[in-house]
Amino acid sequence: MTKQRHILIAGGNTAERERLAKALQTGGAFRVSEVGNAADVMARIQSRPQRFDAIIVDAVQPDTHGPELCARIRRRGLWMPIIVLSDSTNDAEIVRSLDAGANDCVRKPVHLAVLLARLRAQIREHDRSEDATLPIGPFYLRPATRTLHNPIKNQQMRLTPKEVGLLKHLYRASGQPVSRQKLLREIWNYNPAACTDTLETHVYRLRRKIEPHPARPTILVSDGRGYRLGNQEEGEITLAPPPQPSPRQTSEYERQRYAYAN
């Protein structure tokens, strides 16, 4: 993983939580947020839904049990990896956590190297999964259903298979630019009919769906000879209806429509 991942640590002893957060942030691969109880977890997820690549849940929660918190997160339709920390020697608690939606359980005292390995493995697996929910700017991309959801405005749009493929490839590039040639090869499979205009047309149409100002893109960004996803970590972008082309833009708009259709 080359891009910094945002991890939420929930519950448990304050001192232990702070030590774990400090340890995870060493090396720069992760940045960490901390909350003390289940109510704060749900509030944080609601207010900043796309920010967390994984959640570490201490089974000891002051206001609920760890398995119940896992279940509440899953009922919200969020599928980022959850790792539960348990100080119980009873396997029944681990079974309850896994049944409630946790991806993995680690017994305390936590061995940092083991936790890091499991955390990285779960994030990699999530990123590769077709059932993953990928954060794209202020949106959630669900490749399996070809939908893009804005939880802030509770708005959802359907995407074409090529639009999903484009966003998936850019997301998995971790902010690095991807060349036009590679995108054409990976998404259009070297189709002889695919040309740069085909890619540019899809980018043009996708920007009209997701960018607040398509002429000044901040989510799907041009970069040299390719494209990348912009850094939207701290911003919240509101969906707006795609603008209608002005008379001055009509000829270019029709050219793009023709290129897309062919």
Side-chain angles (χ1 to χ4, degrees), residues 166-185:
L166 180 58
L167 290 178
K168 279 171 52 181
H169 276 77
L170 296 181
Y171 175 81
R172 289 167 181 170
S174 301
Q176 299 301 310
V178 182
S179 71
R180 290 172 170 83
Q181 291 74 19
K182 183 174 182 180
L183 290 171
L184 286 169
R185 181 173 68 248

Side-chain angles (χ1 to χ4, degrees), residues 166 178-184 187-188 194-205 225-227 256:
L166 180 58
V178 182
S179 71
R180 290 172 170 83
Q181 291 74 19
K182 183 174 182 180
L183 290 171
L184 286 169
I187 300 172
W188 279 268
C195 61
T196 302
D197 282 348
T198 299
L199 174 58
E200 300 295 348
T201 299
H202 280 76
V203 170
Y204 171 81
R205 291 169 66 93
R225 296 184 177 181
Y227 295 97
Q256 297 282 14

Side-chain angles (χ1 to χ4, degrees), residues 19-254:
R19 283 196 297 270
L20 179 57
K22 184 177 180 180
L24 288 176
Q25 291 179 111
T26 301
F30 301 103
R31 66 187 182 97
V32 179
S33 295
E34 304 171 48
V35 291
N37 55 52
D40 289 343
V41 171
M42 301 313 295
R44 183 65 69 90
I45 290 175
Q46 182 174 359
S47 63
R48 301 180 60 162
Q50 80 282 8
R51 303 302 198 266
F52 304 113
D53 294 285
I55 302 177
I56 297 174
V57 172
D58 196 300
V60 178
Q61 298 285 324
D63 53 350
T64 190
H65 296 295
E68 173 57 25
L69 176 56
C70 295
R72 288 170 64 183
I73 293 170
R74 296 312 188 207
R75 286 197 295 268
R76 289 271 307 182
L78 303 176
W79 296 101
M80 72 282 282
I82 299 174
I83 296 179
V84 172
L85 307 182
S86 174
D87 56 5
S88 174
T89 59
N90 185 353
D91 287 343
E93 181 180 271
I94 293 177
V95 171
R96 285 196 300 271
S97 297
L98 295 172
D99 286 345
N103 297 84
D104 200 353
C105 290
V106 176
R107 280 198 171 98
K108 295 196 263 184
V110 173
H111 295 280
L112 182 61
V114 173
L115 177 60
L116 284 171
R118 293 189 177 187
L119 186 58
R120 289 191 294 263
Q122 289 296 338
I123 292 175
R124 284 196 304 269
E125 185 67 22
H126 179 73
D127 284 354
R128 289 195 297 262
S129 171
E130 285 301 309
D131 294 325
T133 301
L134 307 179
I136 306 288
F139 307 104
Y140 279 129
L141 171 65
R142 295 185 174 94
T145 59
R146 302 209 319 262
T147 55
L148 200 63
H149 178 61
N150 185 338
I152 298 168
K153 295 296 181 181
N154 194 29
Q155 293 175 309
Q156 184 166 285
M157 69 182 76
R158 292 279 295 178
L159 300 180
T160 69
K162 293 294 190 287
E163 289 169 341
V164 171
L166 180 58
L167 290 178
K168 279 171 52 181
H169 276 77
L170 296 181
Y171 175 81
R172 289 167 181 170
S174 301
Q176 299 301 310
V178 182
S179 71
R180 290 172 170 83
Q181 291 74 19
K182 183 174 182 180
L183 290 171
L184 286 169
R185 181 173 68 248
E186 297 292 335
I187 300 172
W188 279 268
N189 298 316
Y190 280 120
N191 186 336
C195 61
T196 302
D197 282 348
T198 299
L199 174 58
E200 300 295 348
T201 299
H202 280 76
V203 170
Y204 171 81
R205 291 169 66 93
L206 187 53
R207 281 174 172 165
R208 288 169 61 83
K209 292 181 179 181
I210 68 176
E211 298 280 1
H213 306 289
R216 302 189 301 276
T218 57
I219 302 175
L220 207 174
V221 180
S222 300
D223 194 308
R225 296 184 177 181
Y227 295 97
R228 62 177 175 83
L229 293 182
N231 181 13
Q232 299 297 317
E233 282 291 328
E234 302 304 329
E236 291 184 352
I237 298 173
T238 303
L239 281 173
Q244 295 300 315
S246 66
R248 185 178 301 176
Q249 296 172 312
T250 300
S251 60
E252 173 64 10
Y253 179 69
E254 291 299 325

